[in-house]
Amino acid sequence: MSDKYSVILVDDEEDVIRTIIHKIDWDSLGFEMRGYAMNGFEAMDLADEVQPDVVMTDIQMPYMDGLELTKKLKEKYPAVKIIVFSGFDKFDYAKEAIRLEVEEYILKPIDAGELSSVFERIKVNLDKERDARQNADRLEHYFSASLPILQETFYTALIEGRIKREELDTQMKNYQISDQGPFFTSVIFHASEHDLPEGMTPLLAMMSVRKLAEEKLLSKRNPHFFNYSGNLVTVVSIDDAKQLTSITDEVDTFCRLAKTLCKVTVSAGIGPVVKDIYDLPSSCKGAREALSYRVIYGKGKAINFSEIAPQEHIDHSVPFGQQFMYDILRSIRMNDDEGRLRSNVQKFLTQQIVGNPSIQEYHFFIMEIVSTLYRFAANNQLDIEKIFSDGDDIYSDVETMNRQELENWIVNVSARIKTLVSGMRSDSTRSFVAKAKDFIAEHYGDDNLNIDMVCSKLGISSSYFSTVFKKETGKTFNTFLTDFRMEQAVRLLVEENEKTYVIAQTVGYHDPNYFSYAFKKKYGMSPSKYKSCNTADGKEK
């Protein structure tokens, strides 16, 4: 991991870009130039890819000016430092830049010495922010001073199911914990231990993430944070179950912010909504399940259990962390290969069949295995006939098996369940991707069409949608939308012989100049030239 801070440059004049890049000794200043963009739209895409520490942008640019770009960057990446430069000494520009909290406002022509001094000052501020979160002594002091031990104990006991219903109100009152409701959900954060900054331990990494979360995350929802088993758990009070989608997006944004500020890869699992804080164990169980899916959807993201497994139900009667045959059921959900599945079955049988159980104990053990697998299949709305054999009595068949036969039976039944669950999940993702494509086909002419509009229509978070959409189509949403619009533009050019500005509006571009820019970027020529090469007369109406 590089210790240098990343910079991107935005200007529509290539000469200015080359001059700035080559005039500054970035390495000696502690910075790394990660790329440049020619306008605000390209800059937003580049920022999503690079997640820069500093953005240096001109004000006067086509399609999206520097002040609008600054506003969008600050909304999406609150910690980014912005340097604005302009060839116009206008008070209104400077006033707006101050309102947007830019770091520096510089007039052209840019002096290399002045610009180097600006970056030196910015580096000092960036170092202070990083040190505040990575300094071991300060983090340890924060750890001891900011965690009320009684609240830690209460939440730990609650999610482990060790608090009686009749004791709940009294304990919450004693520990000054408010019960807002009427709905609750939980979020579990996990910090990867494989790419930590030098000198930072996993414990200190999680403390750094916790401090940032308490400052930046879900502040309007009065969240409660506490550490549990090396992870950070957050209990969130909400007034409408439908808000879970927006919470997922906010948590996903926080994961990116933690990567930028704390230099830690943070993944989050979001549990289902419950109506009573006493049912929080089931929400935490769902959050932990969602977190385990990071091996499929990737680290550094927020994963909503209700989105990845909409048909899977959780048994509320089972205490958090003590689910019967948990490793076997987890292998089914995670679509593990047969070797991993068999290993978990063998471990389960070794743990459960100890000594010489009586025939009655063994029969009860068999009944629990069959009942658990049957209930899991029924809760996931699977076809029971495709899972179990056509024998008259499943219990009678299984209870006569020896140890090896029982192992093979559990593996085979679990494998059949796993196949059906995997197919159901694939059908679900393909279904909403197909719906998204249909929505694009119907609304591509709306210049306000974006990923948030589609996700609102589908009722899912943009973080999950983005991951699955790219996996299914091989393209990001923005790339897919642009390609679709360009295909429609080509059709109108060739078949309808329409004017360029009319086509621009028809396919969702309110600015004809930007449409022409995007068209040329994709096809290597202007719309008018494309038409002349692909129509008989080559003349525009």
Side-chain angles (χ1 to χ4, degrees), residues 8-11 35-52 55-57 61-78 80 82 256 451-452 476 478 514 517 521:
I8 65 172
L9 178 60
V10 191
D11 196 301
Y36 62 86
M38 303 292 288
N39 59 64
F41 289 106
E42 291 183 354
M44 289 301 299
D45 290 339
L46 182 60
D48 288 339
E49 178 183 346
V50 174
Q51 297 186 19
V55 175
M56 186 176 182
T57 179
M61 295 185 297
Y63 318 130
M64 181 193 296
D65 66 29
L67 293 178
E68 185 180 355
L69 171 63
T70 297
K71 182 179 178 182
K72 290 182 179 296
L73 285 170
K74 283 289 187 179
E75 288 174 352
K76 195 166 188 179
Y77 304 102
V80 69
I82 308 287
R256 295 198 299 269
I451 191 171
D452 293 332
T476 65
N478 287 335
Y514 187 70
Y517 171 83
K521 186 174 181 180

Side-chain angles (χ1 to χ4, degrees), residues 513-524:
N513 292 327
Y514 187 70
F515 165 73
S516 297
Y517 171 83
F519 191 97
K520 185 175 182 180
K521 186 174 181 180
K522 180 169 179 62
Y523 295 110

Side-chain angles (χ1 to χ4, degrees), residues 440 444-445 475 477-495 500 503-528 530-531 534:
I440 290 172
Y444 69 90
K475 300 178 181 180
F477 173 82
N478 287 335
T479 300
F480 185 92
L481 175 59
T482 299
D483 288 350
F484 188 89
R485 283 171 164 168
M486 290 299 124
E487 290 170 4
Q488 302 309 309
V490 166
R491 179 181 61 80
L492 292 170
L493 276 170
V494 175
E495 298 178 8
T500 299
I503 293 175
Q505 293 176 348
T506 303
V507 300
Y509 290 89
H510 70 276
D511 185 342
N513 292 327
Y514 187 70
F515 165 73
S516 297
Y517 171 83
F519 191 97
K520 185 175 182 180
K521 186 174 181 180
K522 180 169 179 62
Y523 295 110
M525 63 183 73
S526 68
S528 58
Y530 187 96
K531 180 163 59 177
N534 291 275

Side-chain angles (χ1 to χ4, degrees), residues 55-106:
V55 175
M56 186 176 182
T57 179
D58 189 14
I59 284 187
Q60 292 288 342
M61 295 185 297
Y63 318 130
M64 181 193 296
D65 66 29
L67 293 178
E68 185 180 355
L69 171 63
T70 297
K71 182 179 178 182
K72 290 182 179 296
L73 285 170
K74 283 289 187 179
E75 288 174 352
K76 195 166 188 179
Y77 304 102
V80 69
K81 309 299 182 187
I82 308 287
I83 300 173
V84 171
F85 56 93
S86 174
F88 301 91
D89 187 9
K90 289 187 178 181
F91 175 73
D92 288 343
Y93 284 163
K95 182 179 178 181
E96 180 65 8
I98 292 171
R99 189 186 71 80
L100 294 173
E101 298 181 349
V102 302
E103 294 298 307
E104 297 283 347
Y105 185 89
I106 304 173

Side-chain angles (χ1 to χ4, degrees), residues 32 52 243 288 312 374 377 420 428 457 476 496 499 528:
E32 179 183 10
Q243 294 174 347
R288 190 180 63 168
E312 297 178 23
Y374 189 95
L420 293 176
S428 176
K457 178 70 175 179
T476 65
E496 304 294 335
K499 294 182 178 180
S528 58

